Amino acid sequence: MRPDQHARTMLPIPDRTPPGPTTYDARDPDTAFRPIEPLLPPEGAPNVVVILLDDVGFGASSTFGGPCRTPTVERLAGGGLRFNRFHTTALCAPTRQALLTGRNHHSVGMGSITETATSAPGNSSLRPNTKAPLALTLRLNGYSTAQFGKCHEVPVWQSSPMGPFDAWPSGGGGFETFYGFIGGENNQWDPALYDGTTPVEPPATAEEGYHLTEDLVDHASAWVRQQKALMPDKPFFVYLAPGATHAPHHVPAEWIERYRGQFDDGWDAQRERTFRRQKELGVIPVDAELPARHDEIPAWDDMPDDLKPVLARQMEVYAAFLEHTDHHVGRFVDTLEDLGVLEDTLVFYIVGDNGASAEGTVNGAFNEMANFNGMAALETPEFMRSKLDDFGSPDSYNHYAVGWAWAMNSPLQWTKQVASHWGGTRNGTVVHWPRRITDGGGLRSQFSHVVDVAPTVLEAAGIPEPTMVNGVLQSPVEGTSMLYAFDDAEAPERHDLQYFEMFGNRGIYHRGWSAVTKHRTPWDMVGGDLVAFDDDTWELYDGAADFSQARDLAAEHPEMLAGLQRLWLIEAARYGVLPLDDRTAERLVPEIAGRPTLIHGDSQLFFPGMGRLSENSVVSVKNKSFSVTAEVEVPAAGAGGVLIAQGGRFGGWSVHATGGRLTFTYNVLGIHRYDVVADEPVPAGTHQLRAELAYDGGGLGKGGDVTLFHDGAAVGHGRVEATQPLVFSADETTDVGRESGTCVSDAYDARTSRFTGRIAWVQLDVGKDDHDHYISPAERLRVAMAQQ
């Protein structure tokens, strides 16, 4: 093996001019220079693939005893290793940032998701430049790098089309190629996609057979084929992170049919069934116990009989979604095999970025945004039954019930967001690397954590941890390489201390023991009584004899518990966990959270062609009066299409022209829709159109009166009985002159939403009650520009 000639601890690797004399004439026989060689990693560095699924519990996949068929995970496990004590952070963005940096999530500013970032360093959503991401380290060492799928690490005030792009995958994230979406979730049938930092539309519609997971795998497979065709000697790093199986649970109907009737006996029975299967497969110890169901989680027998068919359907859809995802991941693995590179590719298949999600309420949800707005009561059992056959379809934005999440985490306690207990943080993981792993089908039970992936990859590639990146001194990686466990199932574990925290739920692992305390319940997102942190009850578990945290030993070993509590506090101070913050919905409001906002003041000016603007890129109209004013030029054929639209089919508002008439539509969660239509068409020519909503006040989510104007003259009146108080959508955006994604109103669709005339500008004003109905176009534009 040729010795490596590069000093790789300083990145980029400094260019060095070879010493020695030169010549005057290139024809001189003494003229000699080394051939220019492309930068490559050390000899023997493998290709690296990290596959990260979303919201999959330890007991969901068939590989780890669950009911959802995952043949690709099983295939890789058969030739690789199963890790049954691999842990995440209990929430998606924190897990992803920890994975991509090798640092604990608070160390890289991701104490929770980006949407609830605060000004506290551990919760700011800002990755310090002293903690360079793995992809950047690999790229600067000669790897080709590409990410496909979900990126939930961009601070919300940096998610507009203007960036800055420091936190985007292909900006400062180290990936040369990115195709996917920015944010926590996306509509699988009609996603908001980016190619690099450029917004792009899906290549087909749901009616034409489009699905996001399939599209991501198509792009990943095409990229790796091209990479190996053009750079066969250069290894690659591919990060494949589908939005599946995060809600909404979207999957073709024929996949759902494969599971029809399989969950009719409910989540209690399924949990017991999974528990037995896990012991048969050996993925949990034979002496493991199944902890009792917590009081907050209803028993299947206590659920209304007329709701049970809906509940069973929710799980059928989820199981189909997971199998569908695994199938298409398998297509990517097939690509690696077809190219002859699978043998020398280190594959991490992490089955979930946290435990199964209990954010769908005890009844589940047809539109999960209802719960995020504190409006879950709108989805009555009658409403849910009426939507039975629509779950999983493009008409849904669905999630399953809390009981299913609990069952999918078998045999562990609790769910996603609950970082205290293993149900929130333990995820089945498979590692496949034929060139190095000789114990195909083996089981590894050493404690490991998502921060361990980066140092494992670096050790496997023979690349040192960098001390300097782009002139910035780097802090040490905080994970521990797992490579030692590849060779020896009995090797003593090296990652023997790890803290956990999420929204006040907290725990610590140390040398087999865990001390934990659950502080809040994940599906109580709005309201709810919380005890003081010091009043939380701590539990103690001996992991050497109790795989599932079933036997609380706090009363028997108070000294041990006290020592671990103190150790948790030390680690919390060390990694930026403090101050503890158990707020959820309140942190959605930037002014309360203390994070920056892109837009300041109570007025915002838009121009035609602007689009793909997230909610954090638009002045908030929630719980207040607001108006929309636009100067337009209407053709003789009449006005038609969208002036401005925010949100989509599952919640939002739109000002548009339908049948030539100015229309205001407010869509509450796709359940109630209010249309206010002008009494007369918009005349041809240049006009100023305006829609005003006068908010009732007196609380959140109230209604208001709507008035429409042509050139300052009222032409229509109507009423909106309710509004959305907290969030319109997790993935839909604001567009001017058209609407992308799904549409707020059934009066148009995305293909016919473009405004037929010319829009000079659109202005959004909030919180104003003076109703200056008409200002000349020139003066309006001058004032609006001055306000920016």
Side-chain angles (χ1 to χ4, degrees):
M1 181 179 294
R2 186 177 63 182
D4 188 16
Q5 301 298 313
H6 297 290
R8 298 180 184 269
T9 57
M10 181 179 290
L11 301 176
I13 296 170
D15 294 324
R16 293 182 295 179
T17 302
T22 186
T23 58
Y24 181 71
D25 189 338
R27 296 183 179 85
D28 190 317
D30 291 333
T31 301
F33 296 97
R34 289 182 181 176
I36 297 174
E37 296 182 354
L39 175 64
L40 293 173
E43 191 172 343
N47 305 303
V48 178
V49 171
V50 175
I51 302 159
L52 180 66
L53 302 191
D54 204 325
D55 285 6
V56 185
F58 181 84
S61 73
S62 59
T63 315
F64 289 88
C68 310
R69 293 181 285 270
T70 52
T72 302
V73 186
E74 293 176 15
R75 168 187 173 188
L76 294 176
L81 301 172
R82 295 165 297 166
F83 284 78
N84 68 348
R85 294 173 72 228
F86 182 94
H87 294 81
T88 53
T89 70
L91 202 59
C92 49
T95 290
R96 291 159 193 274
Q97 197 68 298
L99 167 71
L100 292 170
T101 62
R103 275 82 170 195
N104 287 300
H105 59 112
H106 291 89
S107 291
V108 283
M110 204 67 74
S112 66
I113 56 175
T114 56
E115 292 83 356
T116 56
T118 73
S119 54
N123 274 286
S124 67
S125 73
L126 294 169
R127 175 183 54 78
N129 61 7
T130 55
K131 298 173 174 62
L134 172 64
L136 180 59
T137 298
L138 294 179
R139 180 174 67 79
L140 293 176
N141 275 280
Y143 269 79
S144 297
T145 58
Q147 176 177 342
F148 302 93
K150 173 177 174 176
C151 171
H152 198 188
E153 302 88 61
V154 179
V156 289
W157 65 93
Q158 297 180 7
S159 62
S160 82
M162 296 307 296
F165 300 111
D166 298 352
W168 289 57
S170 56
F175 290 101
E176 297 162 309
T177 294
F178 170 62
Y179 181 81
F181 63 93
I182 304 295
E185 62 189 54
N186 225 305
N187 189 319
Q188 299 287 315
W189 301 113
D190 202 345
L193 291 169
Y194 287 89
D195 188 347
T197 60
T198 302
V200 294
E201 296 301 320
T205 66
E207 293 75 18
E208 294 166 335
Y210 178 85
H211 191 280
L212 176 58
T213 303
E214 301 177 25
D215 187 20
L216 296 174
V217 169
D218 287 346
H219 276 78
S221 297
W223 182 89
V224 77
R225 287 191 188 101
Q226 181 167 266
Q227 195 274 345
K228 281 304 163 200
L230 298 177
M231 298 179 175
D233 296 329
K234 192 171 186 177
F236 58 75
F237 172 42
V238 171
Y239 175 37
L240 178 58
T245 56
H246 196 293
H249 301 158
H250 284 159
V251 63
E254 61 269 21
W255 289 79
I256 302 173
E257 286 304 305
R258 301 181 184 190
Y259 287 91
R260 182 175 289 276
Q262 293 187 26
F263 303 103
D264 289 352
D265 54 357
W267 45 70
D268 296 287
Q270 179 57 57
R271 186 167 179 257
E272 295 275 358
R273 196 157 48 239
T274 296
F275 182 59
R276 292 192 298 270
R277 180 62 177 156
Q278 288 171 327
K279 288 192 174 183
E280 292 171 3
L281 291 174
V283 293
I284 66 173
V286 294
D287 60 353
E289 299 178 29
L290 193 61
R293 177 175 42 79
H294 297 280
D295 292 340
E296 296 95 322
I297 302 171
W300 177 259
D301 289 343
D302 292 337
M303 299 303 292
D305 287 339
D306 59 351
L307 188 61
K308 286 180 179 177
V310 177
L311 298 172
R313 185 65 167 179
Q314 293 169 5
M315 187 58 215
E316 292 168 4
V317 172
Y318 179 82
F321 193 21
L322 181 50
E323 182 179 355
H324 175 267
T325 303
D326 180 80
H327 167 78
H328 287 286
V329 170
R331 290 199 298 117
F332 180 68
V333 175
D334 289 342
T335 298
L336 301 179
E337 191 164 47
D338 292 344
L339 291 170
V341 299
L342 184 59
E343 181 79 13
D344 196 27
T345 298
L346 170 59
V347 179
F348 277 85
Y349 195 153
I350 306 172
V351 190
D353 56 357
N354 42 243
S357 171
E359 296 160 346
T361 79
V362 295
N363 288 342
F366 188 69
N367 179 0
E368 65 160 344
M369 288 294 123
N371 193 34
F372 293 152
N373 281 281
M375 304 172 78
L378 287 178
E379 294 198 329
T380 64
E382 292 76 19
F383 171 82
M384 297 282 275
R385 287 197 300 273
S386 73
K387 299 293 185 180
L388 176 64
D389 294 332
D390 294 327
F391 275 81
S393 75
D395 293 327
S396 68
Y397 208 84
N398 50 304
H399 202 329
Y400 59 12
V402 165
W404 292 123
W406 173 67
M408 292 304 101
N409 289 323
S410 176
L412 310 171
Q413 294 192 56
W414 291 111
T415 62
K416 175 184 178 181
Q417 291 193 28
V418 185
S420 52
H421 293 73
W422 297 151
T425 65
R426 184 167 287 178
N427 288 91
T429 295
V430 166
V431 179
H432 184 271
W433 187 15
R435 186 165 66 84
R436 172 62 185 269
I437 294 172
T438 58
D439 183 22
L443 181 71
R444 296 294 184 267
S445 294
Q446 292 92 342
F447 182 95
S448 51
H449 190 272
V450 68
V451 295
D452 298 338
V453 173
T456 305
V457 170
L458 291 179
E459 184 180 359
I463 294 173
E465 179 185 332
T467 58
M468 187 83 71
V469 177
N470 292 327
V472 178
L473 187 66
Q474 297 295 294
S475 65
V477 166
E478 294 159 7
T480 302
S481 173
M482 300 162 60
L483 211 62
Y484 73 95
F486 290 10
D487 302 322
D488 186 359
E490 304 301 323
E493 68 186 20
R494 298 181 183 177
H495 191 146
D496 60 2
L497 174 60
Q498 179 64 46
Y499 82 91
F500 296 89
E501 192 277 336
M502 193 65 61
F503 296 122
N505 299 317
R506 52 205 190 275
I508 189 161
Y509 172 85
H510 188 225
R511 296 177 181 172
W513 290 81
S514 60
V516 303
T517 180
K518 175 186 167 290
H519 178 72
R520 71 170 304 140
T521 302
W523 54 93
D524 292 337
M525 298 183 187
V526 181
D529 296 325
L530 297 174
V531 302
F533 294 118
D534 287 344
D535 294 333
D536 283 329
T537 300
W538 283 75
E539 303 160 11
L540 178 68
Y541 298 99
D542 177 7
D546 182 9
F547 180 88
S548 56
Q549 296 177 317
R551 300 187 299 276
D552 180 10
L553 303 178
E556 300 173 37
H557 300 284
E559 297 85 2
M560 172 71 77
L561 177 61
L564 288 175
Q565 288 174 296
R566 183 168 58 250
L567 187 55
W568 181 89
L569 191 59
I570 292 170
E571 293 296 284
R574 178 184 179 189
Y575 291 114
V577 181
L578 303 177
L580 291 171
D581 193 340
D582 58 6
R583 300 170 298 169
T584 51
E586 304 98 304
R587 286 165 61 175
L588 293 172
V589 182
E591 294 79 7
I592 295 176
R595 64 176 173 270
T597 56
L598 183 64
I599 303 300
H600 302 279
D602 55 10
S603 184
Q604 187 172 4
L605 182 66
F606 303 93
F607 294 100
M610 294 178 66
R612 196 63 70 80
L613 304 176
S614 68
E615 284 189 39
N616 292 281
S617 304
V618 177
V619 62
S620 176
V621 302
K622 302 178 186 75
N623 311 303
K624 61 189 74 173
S625 299
F626 70 94
S627 65
V628 175
T629 307
E631 182 178 317
V632 303
E633 184 177 310
V634 177
V642 171
L643 294 173
I644 184 171
Q646 181 172 42
R649 176 183 298 154
F650 307 104
W653 58 271
S654 174
V655 179
H656 55 101
T658 302
R661 298 172 187 260
L662 182 63
T663 304
F664 176 87
T665 296
Y666 200 106
N667 182 342
V668 180
L669 298 166
I671 299 174
H672 299 299
R673 200 185 77 198
Y674 305 96
D675 294 303
V676 180
V677 184
D679 300 329
E680 58 191 62
V682 181
T686 300
H687 299 281
Q688 194 176 103
L689 308 181
R690 183 177 176 90
E692 294 182 354
L693 185 146
Y695 189 67
D696 290 344
L700 303 180
K702 303 299 181 181
D705 294 321
V706 176
T707 307
L708 305 177
F709 300 89
H710 293 172
D711 300 323
V715 293
H717 300 273
R719 175 81 184 157
V720 170
E721 294 297 342
T723 57
Q724 290 183 212
L726 297 176
V727 60
F728 288 120
S729 173
D731 62 325
E732 298 279 6
T733 55
T734 298
D735 302 283
V736 180
R738 62 182 293 268
E739 184 169 11
S740 63
T742 65
C743 298
V744 170
S745 174
D746 291 339
Y748 57 87
D749 63 35
R751 288 162 290 190
T752 62
S753 65
R754 192 173 300 277
F755 191 71
T756 55
R758 187 184 71 86
I759 299 174
W761 48 265
V762 177
Q763 184 164 320
L764 180 59
D765 296 288
V766 299
K768 295 182 178 180
D769 294 316
D770 54 351
H771 302 314
D772 50 343
H773 298 321
Y774 183 77
I775 299 177
S776 71
E779 179 66 11
R780 165 69 67 177
L781 184 59
R782 186 191 68 77
V783 171
M785 291 294 289
Q787 290 174 334
Q788 299 304 302

